[in-house]
Amino acid sequence: MTVKRNLALILTVLLMTGATSVYAQPKDTARVHRLPDVVVDGQQRRIDNSAPVRVIGSADYLRLGVTDVADALNRLAGVTLRDYGGAGGMKTVSVRGYGAQHTGVSYDGVMLSEIQSGEIDVSRYSIDNVQSLSLTIGDGDDIFVTARQATTPAVLAIQSLTRLPADLKPHLTAQMRLGSWGYANPFVRYTQRMGRSVALSAVGDYVYADNDYPFRLRNGNVTTIERRSNSRMCSGHAEVSGLWTPNDRSSLWAKIYYYDNDRQLPGIVQYYTNVCGQQLHDRNWFAQTRWLYQASQRLSLRLTAKANWASSAYRDTLLPDRRDDATYQQHEYYGSASMLYAPCRDVEINYAADYCYNNLSSSLATDRRPYRHTLWQTAAVKFQRQRFTALARVLWTLCLNGAHRGDAQSDMRRWSPSLSLSYRLMEDEELYLRASMKDIFRVPTFNECYFHHYGSPDIRPENTRQYNIGLTWRHAWSPRLVAQVAADAYLNRISDKIVAVPYNMFIWRTINMAKARGMGVDGEARVEWTPSAGHRIDLSASYTYQRVANRTDASSPHYGKQVPYQPLNQGSASVGWENPWISLSLHGQAASGRWATPNHYEGTHIGGYADVGLTAYRNMMVGKTRLQLRADVENILGHQYEIVAHYPMPRTHWRMSVKMEL
């Protein structure tokens, strides 16, 4: 087996599992010699050369003081998080002002779906089971992806823990986390290799929280201390994954996932009353599988399939006629085929075709029972020679819309091109210049088209074109001192922009803004310094400037105003010190003020904020058990602020956890 073949196989299994076993056969004999198993544990921190890619791995969670997925995303440049507060508050992510519906989220390489609202609640995914979070803006260097992954301006990839043990013994991880206001979160994970070719893992966690945190309510000169009401949550999730590698050319991976969250929805904070009776019961299960086959050194094939079911039961116990009570159910069936071909050393070609069927039904009398057939096809070419890389892709989208009752949205079809370039400026320095362009559009969600109070089939697709130019630099003065920097400037032109304004946590108003323009800069930097054995210092920072303004009518008084919930400035910073005693991490995020409405009406401005936290932790061995103790204090300054209007965030709060690995 040639060296190139060995490297290709190692990289393939790493991508699928995060760990590998290497086998070799000498060329000069017919006998096969098995080498000892090698487990690769760890991850390489990199900045993509062709497009902005932000990565946070499991090794960073302690050093950066990350407490959950939403907290991790807050550290990434270009990301705006909407957070309703507390452990049970919905958390969605948008990138460079595009909106949460225009940010794709994948879980273990397969895109997640929410055809009803288009927003993926990232609080559903436990940070304890996430190996890495990576945000790609535009098209990254990897062209061997599904067609669906090319349909959004940015993709957040959530990769679950997939490291395999080197032995055949069962491995168990158990954790208990407790926190303020009744927060309790047990977590358990089981992993085992069943021989050379089969591995299994099972994960389960449960979260309970009262979320009745205090907040200040100011009414003129009068200030009172109130408590959030109707905020309890009770959620759990379980997933089982399996990997089968029958030979060194193919691998089959599968996952079954279930999530259940029965929670109360705190209403907006109003003067003289804090009473709310809204409740929401979310359930979701999906099964997904992926088969990878390396036919030769030049040709690889990948097949992906997924079935998804989701249910949301909304209730308002305060309404006498319960007129808003409703249950929604959505189904999705998805399949993808992708091929990667390398005709020569410098060129790679990818073709992918995806099909998806979605439908939505509800208990409402006004339900139209909409459905949608979607076909995506992409063709991509990547050329790489010495210091220059070019990637070109074209996406074709066909949407066939229908409804069993009433009018349906019109069918849609469109070509969407993209281009990415990068050039290494100096041979002896990792300094890259990159530029990219991507043209893409977003099909309106079913809520935006059909929801009985606020949707309309006349809502038009949102069209975007993004331009990006940036620099990346990595330099190692020595193995003990490494720095990495990335900076990008961008321009986004958006027509028929769909803007969502919250009515409550479950219902949003949507409008077409016709035209908007986004421009800004974002950057991140990180320094890793190991001054002596047992000590390590990590410094990291990110900054984002985003100007996303209405550009519809120059004569309008609203022309040039910032779109809702988009701060002009935001950033984060952290310093971590690992040592043999008690490791520490001091971290914080800050954002400038923003507006809750597109027209900037009086009284709808939301003030800026700064949130600072402290993490202390220690890892130790007790016999053969690895033990981790951790304590977090968030918002240590006690600052009260809002991210969504009239939904106050928690003030100072704490969490403590004990983790054991057997």
Side-chain angles (χ1 to χ4, degrees):
M1 190 177 291
T2 64
V3 174
K4 288 184 178 180
R5 178 67 177 279
N6 279 333
L7 289 174
L9 290 174
I10 292 172
L11 289 174
T12 300
V13 180
L14 274 172
L15 289 172
M16 296 293 295
T17 68
T20 183
S21 298
V22 183
Y23 300 87
Q25 177 177 331
K27 295 182 179 180
D28 57 348
T29 177
R31 294 186 302 166
V32 176
H33 300 274
R34 178 174 173 175
L35 297 176
D37 287 348
V38 178
V39 175
V40 180
D41 189 358
Q43 53 200 58
Q44 179 183 5
R45 174 168 290 276
R46 67 180 180 88
I47 300 180
D48 199 275
N49 296 327
S50 299
V53 175
R54 322 299 188 197
V55 181
I56 292 183
S58 56
D60 300 321
Y61 300 156
L62 287 172
R63 298 167 188 162
L64 301 180
V66 171
T67 57
D68 53 35
V69 171
D71 187 27
L73 297 177
N74 253 333
R75 317 297 179 88
L76 303 181
V79 169
T80 301
L81 192 74
R82 288 188 183 176
D83 192 335
Y84 287 84
M90 184 176 177
K91 297 169 176 61
T92 61
V93 59
S94 65
V95 178
R96 293 184 172 180
Y98 281 118
Q101 296 95 337
H102 225 323
T103 302
V105 181
S106 70
Y107 192 59
D108 286 342
V110 184
M111 297 296 286
L112 298 172
S113 173
E114 223 303 327
I115 194 65
Q116 183 179 359
S117 68
E119 297 180 320
I120 302 298
D121 183 1
V122 296
S123 67
R124 294 186 175 191
Y125 304 96
S126 171
I127 194 70
D128 301 304
N129 191 46
V130 173
Q131 181 170 306
S132 66
L133 294 164
S134 62
L135 177 70
T136 302
I137 304 174
D139 292 328
D141 282 347
D142 182 16
I143 67 170
F144 195 21
V145 297
T146 64
R148 194 175 190 177
Q149 286 182 256
T151 61
T152 56
V155 173
L156 170 65
I158 303 175
Q159 179 65 49
S160 67
L161 282 170
T162 51
R163 288 192 292 266
L164 298 180
D167 54 44
L168 300 180
K169 298 179 181 179
H171 290 258
L172 183 67
T173 300
Q175 178 178 267
M176 184 64 189
R177 182 181 287 122
L178 300 174
S180 302
W181 310 302
Y183 179 86
N185 175 209
F187 170 87
V188 63
R189 172 182 166 83
Y190 161 81
T191 305
Q192 187 172 6
R193 290 179 60 179
M194 310 292 185
R196 172 182 176 270
S197 60
V198 177
L200 295 174
S201 69
V203 174
D205 74 329
Y206 173 80
V207 179
Y208 176 87
D210 293 321
N211 286 318
D212 55 345
Y213 53 88
F215 64 94
R216 289 193 182 98
L217 179 62
R218 294 182 176 88
N219 184 5
N221 296 326
V222 178
T223 300
T224 59
I225 302 298
E226 309 288 341
R227 277 189 174 271
R228 290 299 267 155
S229 63
N230 200 63
S231 300
R232 176 198 54 79
M233 75 163 294
C234 180
S235 74
H237 119 272
E239 57 186 83
V240 178
S241 303
L243 174 69
W244 178 43
T245 52
N247 52 56
D248 58 2
R249 288 178 175 267
S250 61
S251 60
L252 178 66
W253 168 89
K255 178 187 289 288
I256 298 176
Y257 173 98
Y258 180 74
Y259 171 83
D260 193 300
N261 187 356
D262 190 3
R263 57 181 165 177
Q264 299 171 329
L265 303 180
I268 63 174
V269 173
Q270 303 177 15
Y271 298 131
Y272 312 119
T273 181
N274 191 30
V275 177
C276 182
Q278 299 171 5
Q279 301 176 12
L280 181 64
H281 188 185
D282 286 324
R283 290 176 293 164
N284 175 221
W285 76 262
F286 62 75
Q288 59 189 40
T289 184
R290 186 172 65 240
W291 178 65
L292 180 65
Y293 177 66
Q294 185 176 358
S296 66
Q297 294 185 25
R298 293 187 175 183
L299 179 64
S300 297
L301 303 173
R302 178 185 290 154
L303 299 178
T304 305
K306 180 177 182 179
N308 180 82
W309 171 85
S311 172
S312 297
Y314 174 78
R315 302 180 298 276
D316 192 338
T317 60
L318 296 185
L319 292 178
D321 55 0
R322 307 291 288 271
R323 61 180 178 273
D324 287 341
D325 288 11
T327 299
Y328 304 83
Q329 293 191 34
Q330 54 179 293
H331 298 82
E332 175 177 290
Y333 303 97
Y334 167 76
S336 171
S338 181
M339 176 195 70
L340 180 66
Y341 178 64
C344 59
R345 184 179 63 179
D346 300 330
V347 177
E348 291 180 333
I349 300 173
N350 170 251
Y351 170 76
D354 295 17
Y355 166 77
C356 185
Y357 171 78
N358 298 95
N359 66 18
L360 176 68
S361 61
S362 76
S363 59
L364 295 172
T366 55
D367 179 27
R368 301 187 188 184
R369 298 185 62 190
Y371 60 88
R372 178 178 293 163
H373 299 271
T374 308
L375 176 65
W376 299 284
Q377 294 186 77
T378 61
V381 178
K382 180 180 178 181
F383 174 80
Q384 186 170 11
R385 175 173 293 177
Q386 297 177 345
R387 294 153 60 180
F388 176 72
T389 301
L391 190 158
R393 173 180 280 125
V394 61
L395 165 70
W396 183 69
T397 303
L398 172 65
C399 289
L400 304 176
N401 295 291
H404 292 288
R405 302 169 184 168
D407 296 332
Q409 190 183 31
S410 301
D411 297 336
M412 287 163 282
R413 54 182 56 84
R414 180 168 171 179
W415 294 93
S416 303
S418 63
L419 177 66
S420 301
L421 307 170
S422 73
Y423 182 71
R424 185 168 180 169
L425 297 177
M426 294 181 286
E427 291 185 0
D428 57 348
E429 194 74 37
E430 291 187 61
L431 178 62
Y432 292 87
L433 174 67
R434 63 188 176 205
S436 62
M437 182 281 296
K438 185 169 186 175
D439 186 281
I440 203 68
F441 79 117
R442 177 176 78 82
V443 178
T445 67
F446 281 176
N447 269 3
E448 293 166 342
C449 295
Y450 304 107
F451 195 66
H452 65 110
H453 284 314
Y454 309 105
S456 169
D458 297 327
I459 290 288
R460 298 178 298 276
E462 182 174 297
N463 302 293
T464 67
R465 179 169 291 179
Q466 58 179 352
Y467 304 91
N468 187 92
I469 185 168
L471 286 169
T472 68
W473 176 64
R474 184 181 184 276
H475 185 79
W477 287 272
S478 70
R480 292 186 171 186
L481 183 59
V482 180
Q484 192 165 272
V485 178
D488 292 271
Y490 61 88
L491 173 65
N492 302 329
R493 296 189 180 277
I494 309 168
S495 60
D496 291 330
K497 181 173 177 59
I498 302 173
V499 177
V501 178
Y503 176 72
N504 57 41
M505 284 183 65
F506 190 62
I507 300 173
W508 293 68
R509 290 190 173 103
T510 53
I511 60 172
N512 278 114
M513 190 178 281
K515 292 183 181 179
R517 185 183 69 185
M519 56 189 302
V521 295
D522 54 42
E524 62 178 9
R526 179 160 184 173
V527 177
E528 302 172 2
W529 179 37
T530 308
S532 61
H535 293 263
R536 171 173 169 156
I537 295 177
D538 280 80
L539 303 173
S540 66
S542 68
Y543 171 74
T544 300
Y545 171 84
Q546 297 183 82
R547 178 75 171 126
V548 188
N550 182 345
R551 309 290 291 184
T552 302
D553 182 3
S555 62
S556 169
H558 312 307
Y559 183 82
K561 292 184 176 180
Q562 188 86 336
V563 301
Y565 291 101
Q566 190 62 57
L568 200 62
N569 298 278
Q570 60 186 32
S572 68
S574 69
V575 53
W577 174 36
E578 286 190 340
N579 58 72
W581 314 294
I582 299 179
S583 300
L584 300 172
S585 172
L586 181 66
H587 46 87
Q589 304 93 42
S592 60
R594 55 217 164 283
W595 295 88
T597 63
N599 297 325
H600 295 195
Y601 292 128
E602 183 179 356
T604 63
H605 184 262
I606 305 172
Y609 69 90
D611 189 334
V612 179
L614 179 66
T615 299
Y617 60 94
R618 182 174 180 180
N619 296 314
M620 65 187 75
M621 295 297 298
V622 180
K624 296 183 179 181
T625 302
R626 183 181 179 185
L627 187 66
Q628 181 187 101
L629 305 177
R630 173 173 175 173
D632 296 271
V633 181
E634 299 297 321
N635 198 359
I636 58 178
L637 301 179
H639 180 53
Q640 181 172 309
Y641 62 93
E642 299 173 355
I643 294 180
V644 176
H646 308 295
Y647 285 85
M649 295 289 290
R651 296 165 63 191
T652 304
H653 56 286
W654 59 270
R655 289 185 184 178
M656 300 183 67
S657 64
V658 178
K659 181 178 180 181
M660 297 183 296
E661 296 181 0
L662 303 176

